[in-house]
Amino acid sequence: MDLGQIAQYCYNLTTSYLRIENATSVISETQDAIKLTRRCFLDDIFPTWSPLNSEISFSYNGGKDCQALLLLYLSCIWEFFLLTLEHSLYDPKYHAFPLKELPTVFIDHEQTFSTLEEFVATSSKRYCLSLYESGRDNERDTSMADAFKKYLEVHPEMKAFVIGIRHTDPYAANLKAIQRTDANWPDFVRLQPFLHWKLANVWSFLIYSNEPICGLYGLGLTSIGSINNTLPNPHLKVDQDDKPNLMFQWEIEHAFSDSKDASGEAVNVSTVNAADLKLLNQPQDRYLPGWYLTDDSLERAGRIKKE
Ligand code: FAD
Ligand code: MG
Ligand code: MG
């Protein structure tokens, strides 16, 4: 799929999710969350910063939050593209989508899991991202603010960055959907249309999407940091005979697909790198996958210092 096609695919997926009726309360809450994010993009952001002429870059690190937001961003870009054609005499199919790749930035400043790096690479292809990666090798120690300063030296045309941060993240309680950066950061606009999303909303939409997600979540990770401070979430530890209840069974069984031979049996996760499996999989312990955790206050409980 090219960028126009994947944007249209994400639009179809989002529309399909919004049409679900009488399923579960988390789905109706997530539908409200999507509608708010959609209005923020279409009414508040795109009239000022167009996603179609390289004024916006998307902050992407392969995590669940920015992936869910990316699906919505692409969906809204497709809608915005259709709006620009409103006065055209020709059918949309006769208009070429104006972008080939989506400007994206990944600050690779931590010692990341290979599985995550591989996932960033494969998902970048799937979503047609033109991924700027900073922080390779000798630059790993630079701060995120410095990394963005460098990015802006290469891309001075960028005015605003989309960020998949949520109110329940550290220091994020008082953030706003649109705001400039703080004084110790390079000056640009932060676009944060995902603040109101809860963990359960993220999982519901991602699982329904049927898009491959980073395989580390399948091992009980709920928040992915560096390999030095990330372990499976202790609240997901279970005994062999535990029969846990999954909040998102409906989403798995009715997962989105544009082909008839969809499986609808399991969450679609990327392959875990063997070294990461060795690092995270302790044979004596059993952890449920990350999507079994829906309490926002426990999301980072796996981020602990290893002894
Ligand atoms: P996560 O859930 O890991 O990240 C939240 C979101 O941040 C992700 O969904 C993704 O969109 C983005 N992100 C996180 N890590 C990366 C990465 N390595 N590469 C690319 N994107 C990433 N903090 C301030 O105090 N003041 C600021 O003015 C400020 N401006 C920022 C501007 C941008 C464009 C970004 C990306 C971050 C900024 N931050 C700023 C930091 C921000 O508030 C979070 O602390 C930071 O994103 C890390 O989030 P997290 O690890 O807590 O949560
Ligand atoms: Mg997050
Ligand atoms: Mg992070």
Side-chain angles (χ1 to χ4, degrees):
M1 283 194 266
D2 64 23
L3 182 56
Q5 287 164 331
I6 189 73
Q8 187 174 23
Y9 181 88
C10 290
Y11 173 76
N12 293 341
L13 146 69
T14 307
T15 307
S16 162
Y17 189 94
L18 288 173
R19 285 196 183 130
I20 300 169
E21 281 178 12
N22 307 322
T24 63
S25 60
V26 71
I27 291 180
S28 48
E29 273 169 41
T30 309
Q31 289 170 331
D32 290 342
I34 291 176
K35 287 177 196 161
L36 213 61
T37 300
R38 176 177 169 271
R39 291 266 56 102
C40 186
F41 276 129
L42 291 170
D43 298 348
D44 305 333
I45 295 177
F46 293 169
T48 307
W49 302 278
S50 167
L52 299 176
N53 65 1
S54 292
E55 288 175 329
I56 305 183
S57 184
F58 190 97
S59 312
Y60 186 68
N61 65 357
K64 62 190 185 313
D65 302 298
C66 53
Q67 187 181 1
L69 182 58
L70 180 61
L71 300 177
L72 294 175
Y73 183 54
L74 286 166
S75 164
C76 291
I77 290 179
W78 180 256
E79 276 194 76
F80 184 71
F81 169 62
L82 293 184
L83 286 173
T84 64
L85 305 182
E86 224 172 35
H87 301 293
S88 166
L89 298 173
Y90 303 102
D91 191 271
K93 68 176 180 237
Y94 298 114
H95 290 268
F97 192 75
L99 270 187
K100 291 265 171 286
E101 290 187 311
L102 198 68
T104 318
V105 50
F106 175 35
I107 309 303
D108 195 2
H109 64 161
E110 293 182 315
Q111 257 203 304
T112 355
F113 293 94
S114 306
T115 306
L116 187 76
E117 300 224 345
E118 285 155 19
F119 180 72
V120 168
T122 53
S123 56
S124 291
K125 280 211 187 87
R126 170 151 180 82
Y127 303 123
C128 304
L129 309 181
S130 103
L131 190 75
Y132 169 96
E133 281 192 63
S134 84
R136 297 256 156 217
D137 306 325
N138 56 352
E139 288 174 30
R140 279 204 194 264
D141 290 336
T142 51
S143 71
M144 199 130 151
D146 283 342
F148 273 94
K149 196 165 162 243
K150 281 196 184 154
Y151 176 83
L152 286 165
E153 283 162 15
V154 183
H155 290 285
E157 72 282 7
M158 288 302 166
K159 304 278 182 288
F161 292 79
V162 181
I163 312 170
I165 197 164
R166 309 189 345 252
H167 275 312
T168 51
D169 286 326
Y171 315 108
N174 298 319
L175 292 177
K176 297 188 178 62
I178 301 176
Q179 69 187 125
R180 298 204 81 84
T181 44
D182 291 326
N184 50 344
W185 274 70
D187 184 38
F188 58 78
V189 177
R190 285 181 277 177
L191 306 172
Q192 304 171 141
F194 205 62
L195 287 167
H196 56 285
W197 281 62
K198 298 281 189 292
L199 200 46
N201 306 134
V202 179
W203 286 128
S204 174
F205 183 56
L206 264 191
I207 291 173
Y208 178 80
S209 80
N210 215 0
E211 291 292 294
I213 61 170
C214 177
L216 296 173
Y217 293 117
L219 301 182
L221 269 59
T222 52
S223 165
I224 306 173
S226 101
I227 56 174
N228 302 312
N229 72 0
T230 308
L231 287 175
N233 193 310
H235 297 278
L236 290 173
K237 197 167 163 189
V238 282
D239 294 327
Q240 289 303 337
D241 44 348
D242 276 350
K243 289 240 170 359
N245 195 15
L246 179 60
M247 197 189 264
F248 311 110
Q249 198 53 40
W250 193 95
E251 287 84 333
I252 293 179
E253 284 162 18
H254 301 82
F256 181 75
S257 170
D258 61 354
S259 72
K260 289 197 178 64
D261 54 347
S263 75
E265 280 164 16
V267 176
N268 192 355
V269 285
S270 76
T271 311
V272 177
N273 176 287
D276 293 345
L277 202 58
K278 210 168 147 203
L279 206 65
L280 292 168
N281 223 359
Q282 287 120 354
Q284 70 279 15
D285 296 332
R286 184 175 166 237
Y287 290 91
L288 295 173
W291 47 90
Y292 277 83
L293 187 103
T294 53
D295 181 339
D296 291 85
S297 69
L298 303 177
E299 183 176 349
R300 285 169 196 255
R303 299 282 210 100
I304 38 185
K305 269 258 165 289
K306 286 182 185 172
E307 287 132 40

